[in-house]
Amino acid sequence: MSKPTNAKIPRREASPADMTRAALVRAALTLFGRQGFDGTSTREIAAEAKANIGSIAYHFGGKEGLRAAAADYIVHTIQAIAGQAIGDLQAPSDSEAGDPEAARAQLFTALERMVAFIVARPEAGEIVQFVLRELSHPTAALDRIYDGVFEPTHRRLCLIWEQATGEPAESEATRLTVFTLIGQVVYFRIGREAVMRRMGWRGIGDAEATKIAAAVTDNLGAILAARKDLRS
């Protein structure tokens, strides 16, 4: 009788082509965010990625295609992180029957996850810089990011807010409130240097991010308490 095996299905290792492609995307994300699209040459991108300059045309068709790939990288990265806290961004349902307490807890979790990534993770700085460039000078890359991340994440949070407070998800007040919740987290990344100087911090790591998360979630708690008082 043969013995059962515990063999695991081997994961496919990244090919040299896959690794080159990924390196080029990360290099483009960094340099486009730092220097702008027009201020970055394909030669600089290839040097940053330690790749042959011809690989940009081979993998992406050119510099514009590489910018689109960098935007897609942002979408996939943030979708994965947001999905852990607030569910599938691509399938929000208006008919979700939510327990208000559970919805409030989900809002707190969402803010904590945002802080953990946006504020504490080094790669978030590259993403934010790239997005800020796109917001200042919109291109088709911003359309990809808006459609893939901004709009569905915001809409999903608005639905959770409705479940938590009873306020209509698509009301002007709800949409603005959700923007303020997201905005306060983003500030700690774009204002990172000012925050460190004022707080006397040498950097912002996990310990500092925990303190920021506490302040941000305290703000959320105060907003929810005010809404509850108005209804009572």
Side-chain angles (χ1 to χ4, degrees):
M1 181 181 292
S2 62
K3 294 182 180 180
T5 64
N6 293 320
K8 295 181 180 179
I9 298 175
R11 291 189 304 175
R12 186 179 74 86
E13 292 186 3
S15 68
D18 290 336
M19 290 189 288
T20 296
R21 181 183 175 87
L24 287 167
V25 169
R26 290 300 302 273
L29 187 67
T30 299
L31 294 175
F32 290 160
R34 184 189 305 157
Q35 302 172 184
F37 182 79
D38 293 334
T40 302
S41 69
T42 52
R43 190 172 301 279
E44 287 177 297
I45 296 168
E48 178 77 12
K50 297 180 174 57
N52 187 296
I53 191 170
S55 60
I56 294 174
Y58 176 79
H59 287 288
F60 307 102
K63 190 175 162 186
E64 191 60 59
L66 183 51
R67 174 160 60 180
D72 289 341
Y73 170 84
I74 291 172
V75 170
H76 296 150
T77 299
I78 297 180
Q79 279 183 350
I81 292 164
Q84 294 173 3
I86 58 178
D88 183 2
L89 300 184
Q90 300 305 319
S93 171
D94 291 324
S95 63
E96 287 180 31
D99 170 13
E101 285 298 325
R104 285 192 282 272
Q106 199 169 20
L107 288 171
F108 283 101
T109 298
L111 283 187
E112 289 168 354
R113 293 278 177 85
M114 282 185 208
V115 171
F117 177 73
I118 294 174
V119 177
R121 294 269 290 275
E123 61 268 35
E126 299 174 351
I127 289 175
V128 170
Q129 277 191 317
F130 184 98
V131 171
L132 287 175
R133 289 271 186 182
E134 285 295 320
L135 289 170
S136 298
H137 301 91
T139 71
L142 180 61
D143 295 337
R144 299 167 91 98
I145 296 168
Y146 179 85
D147 293 341
V149 175
F150 283 0
E151 194 272 346
T153 301
H154 188 272
R155 186 178 295 275
R156 183 72 173 189
L157 286 168
C158 286
L159 287 170
I160 298 171
W161 183 264
E162 178 179 1
Q163 295 163 16
T165 67
E167 298 173 5
E170 287 302 303
S171 71
E172 185 176 80
T174 294
R175 285 178 286 157
L176 287 173
T177 298
V178 169
F179 273 126
T180 67
L181 295 176
I182 297 169
Q184 63 180 323
V185 176
V186 174
Y187 173 78
F188 283 100
R189 169 56 69 173
I190 63 177
R192 188 181 185 87
E193 186 62 33
V195 171
M196 289 191 298
R197 292 185 185 195
R198 185 69 180 94
M199 296 304 297
W201 292 341
R202 298 173 66 89
I204 298 181
D206 291 340
E208 292 79 14
T210 298
K211 294 174 183 177
I212 292 169
V216 168
T217 53
D218 280 350
N219 291 342
L220 172 60
I223 295 171
L224 290 172
R227 294 295 203 280
K228 188 175 182 180
D229 289 343
L230 286 174
R231 293 198 307 272
S232 60

